[in-house]
Amino acid sequence: MALNYYAKELKENAQLLASKGKGILAVDESTKTVGKRLAGIGVENTEENRKAYRGMLFTTKDLGKYISGAILFEETLFQNHPDGEPMVKKLNDLGIIPGIKVDKGLNPLPGGKDVETFCSGLDGLVERAAKYYEQGARFAKWRAVLQITADGCPSNLSIQENAWGLARYARSVQEAGLVPIIEPEILMDGDHTIEKTAEVQEEVIKQVYKACQTNGVLLEGTLLKPSMTVNGADCSEKADPQKVAELTIRTMERCVPASVPGIVFLSGGLSEEAASVYLNNMNNLYRKAMWNVSFSYGRALQHSCLKAWKGSDTEAGQKALIARAQANSEASKGAYIPGSQPSSDEQLFVAGYKY
Ligand code: 13P
């Protein structure tokens, strides 16, 4: 069976991705989403500009000291750098493992409530994953999204469907040798308290691992990418960084099996600085489990970098990227001194955000 064939490699690659002091750079924005980012700095969304931007990221000297893997959009995995070399080679040269977003996006969930979705892309996934492996990818990502609302979301139906989809995906890509990053994101939209998020998140993550067990997913060859346990963006009671860290770790300890080598949080609209501080606080808490607690940030690693790059300033862009990569690497060891690296305090949260 293919999973058995790849088992050793899956475990090794998951361990490498979860190396102490390293995290993941999420740069897998769809063509539409990256277009919004580029528009923010007045750059047109052309293939050439996307290539220039991502090529700048992937040639940042010493990035591999802080970053173990980079999640790519399909276009980038098969693309060459403006200098003609494959993007995959640029990452490998830095010691960064290339990964690939394999889901095909969110669709309305029939039978669910208005905001509820399921994640598509399971048909033909084993075959697609095999092509990505051949192209040099060694891990994958699939993002399922749940939202907390006053009228009872996420429904049981949406939790079951999204947990099942994540587990089917995880098993499918493992059959082709890719380490699955399992991402059940709980959006920050809403006015619920942090306690409510913790309650919902516990149920969601438990169901994810239950479905993984039913599907025979090799947990040692996976990573979990959750959102942090935070209050809703419109909640009047703001949880402080220490409380976020404590409740997030409590949630993880209640639901994430010890056989999972690493938990890599998404930033979900937190500011760059908040994403680093929360992670740092988590790594200063006593923990019962051994998983590496690190980052897989998109916006919180790229925001000030994009603004510094402005379409052409490679040096400034790379300097901003390495600053946030180093800050988050320190945070993943509990050694980040807030404000010690340039960052942006800008809230990156956008209601109804589509990745
Ligand atoms: P953010 O860190 O911007 O939430 O993105 C991470 C990601 O990969 C979302 O799927």
Side-chain angles (χ1 to χ4, degrees):
M1 182 173 52
L3 196 156
N4 283 343
Y5 174 79
Y6 285 115
K8 183 167 173 283
E9 188 179 328
L10 289 166
K11 287 186 210 168
E12 283 167 3
N13 283 332
Q15 281 294 346
L16 282 174
L17 288 165
S19 299
K20 189 81 198 153
K22 292 191 186 185
I24 291 171
L25 169 64
V27 57
D28 58 327
E29 301 85 1
S30 64
T31 302
K32 199 167 150 209
T33 303
V34 78
K36 289 188 218 159
R37 307 280 167 79
L38 294 173
I41 52 164
V43 171
E44 206 191 328
N45 188 13
T46 59
E47 193 191 342
E48 205 186 333
N49 288 337
R50 293 193 291 276
K51 193 196 283 200
Y53 173 60
R54 289 164 170 164
M56 177 274 297
L57 300 177
F58 302 160
T59 47
T60 302
K61 192 169 164 284
D62 291 337
L63 192 62
K65 274 175 36 189
Y66 312 119
I67 300 292
S68 55
I71 318 173
L72 312 181
F73 194 58
E74 192 176 36
E75 174 183 87
T76 320
L77 183 69
F78 291 91
Q79 201 170 41
N80 286 341
H81 185 275
D83 73 9
E85 278 193 342
M87 292 289 199
V88 167
K89 176 165 189 315
K90 295 294 182 198
L91 289 170
N92 286 333
D93 286 351
L94 290 173
I96 296 176
I97 303 175
I100 172 82
K101 170 190 168 78
V102 300
D103 68 70
K104 297 236 177 225
L106 306 174
N107 289 323
L109 177 65
K113 299 199 179 161
D114 267 1
V115 297
E116 294 189 318
T117 54
F118 74 98
C119 186
S120 63
L122 287 175
D123 277 0
L125 181 54
V126 178
E127 294 73 22
R128 269 200 297 133
K131 289 199 187 102
Y132 300 146
Y133 183 98
E134 206 183 310
Q135 181 65 16
R138 289 295 177 270
F139 72 101
K141 164 188 138 171
W142 173 284
R143 174 176 176 258
V145 175
L146 298 114
Q147 190 170 332
I148 300 173
T149 66
D151 67 344
C153 293
S155 63
N156 194 33
L157 172 69
S158 125
I159 295 175
Q160 295 305 320
E161 173 62 23
N162 281 291
W164 189 253
L166 282 163
R168 293 297 310 138
Y169 138 77
R171 175 71 201 220
S172 301
V173 301
Q174 283 190 331
E175 296 280 339
L178 301 180
V179 170
I181 292 193
I182 297 174
E183 181 174 356
E185 174 168 5
I186 310 225
L187 294 177
M188 279 178 16
D189 299 64
D191 61 3
H192 50 277
T193 61
I194 187 170
E195 284 79 13
K196 178 69 188 175
T197 306
E199 181 194 315
V200 169
Q201 202 174 15
E202 272 185 39
E203 177 61 16
V204 169
I205 298 178
K206 280 178 189 162
Q207 293 301 333
V208 166
Y209 285 110
K210 191 166 162 231
C212 283
Q213 188 180 21
T214 308
N215 282 278
V217 174
L218 177 70
L219 293 181
E220 292 82 354
T222 65
L223 297 178
L224 179 69
K225 175 164 172 166
S227 37
M228 293 183 199
T229 309
V230 292
N231 54 261
D234 297 326
C235 179
S236 52
E237 253 176 87
K238 307 282 176 220
D240 64 32
Q242 193 55 21
K243 182 151 189 191
V244 171
E246 284 170 10
L247 280 201
T248 305
I249 291 298
R250 189 188 77 178
T251 306
M252 300 304 133
E253 285 183 339
R254 287 181 177 179
C255 330
V256 185
S259 50
V260 173
I263 301 177
V264 285
F265 288 95
L266 58 92
S267 62
L270 297 171
S271 72
E272 289 183 333
E273 191 62 22
S276 301
V277 169
Y278 294 174
L279 179 63
N280 190 59
N281 286 16
M282 279 187 239
N283 279 299
N284 278 312
L285 290 175
Y286 166 75
R287 281 208 310 266
K288 299 178 187 116
M290 301 274 288
W291 3 261
N292 191 50
V293 172
S294 192
F295 60 94
S296 173
Y297 295 159
R299 285 163 282 179
L301 271 171
Q302 294 183 61
H303 183 66
S304 47
C305 167
L306 256 168
K307 289 210 309 202
W309 177 63
K310 294 193 298 279
S312 58
D313 194 337
T314 298
E315 203 184 316
Q318 294 183 337
K319 204 168 147 209
L321 175 65
I322 205 89
R324 289 330 299 158
Q326 184 180 338
N328 289 311
S329 156
E330 289 165 2
S332 73
K333 296 184 284 190
Y336 177 58
I337 299 168
S340 61
Q341 292 284 349
S343 74
S344 151
D345 256 340
E346 211 176 305
Q347 241 312 337
L348 304 176
F349 173 74
V350 180
Y353 181 77
K354 302 255 184 319
Y355 211 77

